[in-house]
Amino acid sequence: TLVAPGDEVVLVAVIDQAIMPPAVGPAAVMLVDAIAPPPTSEELTAAAGWLSEEALLLDGLLPHDEAGAPTVSIVERVQAGDVREIIPHLAAELKSDVIVVGSRGHGKVKRLLLGSVADYLLHHSPCSVLVVRPGDPSVAAVERQLASSSGMGPV
């Protein structure tokens, strides 16, 4: 299964502060020295609120013992910065087994122009990455995807 008793699930909300330089021609050289402003208190409050809601939903899906106590701990973290740097770094720091990330389902053109966080994580993370596509968010689907990608067979 995706989680087992004693595991820790870390929910992360990243306030994306990546600074993307404007597009320039192939012969142009650009030095960018920009610093993103710190997140506002509204952004921090919104991220923390979203994490709390997700933790409540997740708690209902995770294993509990006979007394109803959760057997998996949920940790909530809010971070600010470039999501492409933060998630792999945090996964390495926590010695994560898997990153589960959602995909917005952008088409190929938008993904090419804007980049895809999920695609970036697939190629730059220190552990396995499971991408959950829109329209298929059930835990059973996630477990089937993980089992098929890891070669463990049905769960």
Side-chain angles (χ1 to χ4, degrees):
T1 62
L2 191 52
V3 293
D7 284 351
E8 180 177 82
V9 174
V10 180
L11 293 177
V12 180
V14 178
I15 300 170
D16 195 2
Q17 294 185 306
I19 297 177
M20 304 299 276
V24 294
V29 176
M30 176 187 276
L31 298 176
V32 177
D33 185 16
I35 299 173
T40 65
S41 61
E42 291 84 13
E43 289 174 316
L44 292 171
T45 300
W50 177 83
L51 278 178
S52 294
E53 290 174 14
E54 292 298 312
L56 283 173
L57 291 172
L58 187 59
D59 183 62
L61 301 172
L62 294 173
H64 290 72
D65 63 19
E66 296 80 28
T71 60
V72 174
S73 63
I74 300 173
V75 176
E76 301 169 29
R77 292 182 71 158
V78 176
Q79 303 222 205
D82 185 346
V83 67
R84 289 172 173 87
E85 292 177 12
I86 288 176
I87 297 296
H89 176 77
L90 190 57
E93 177 186 315
L94 297 172
K95 297 180 176 71
S96 299
D97 295 320
V98 64
I99 296 170
V100 179
V101 63
S103 170
R104 292 185 180 164
H106 290 309
K108 291 180 183 178
V109 174
K110 261 192 176 173
R111 195 168 52 241
L112 178 66
L113 293 174
L114 300 175
S116 163
V117 171
D119 187 59
Y120 183 87
L121 293 175
L122 283 168
H123 295 95
H124 296 90
S125 293
C127 60
S128 297
V129 176
L130 176 61
V131 180
V132 179
R133 305 243 179 250
D136 196 12
S138 72
V139 171
V142 171
E143 287 183 338
R144 281 195 306 277
Q145 284 182 312
L146 183 60
S148 65
S149 66
S150 68
M152 294 185 323
V155 287

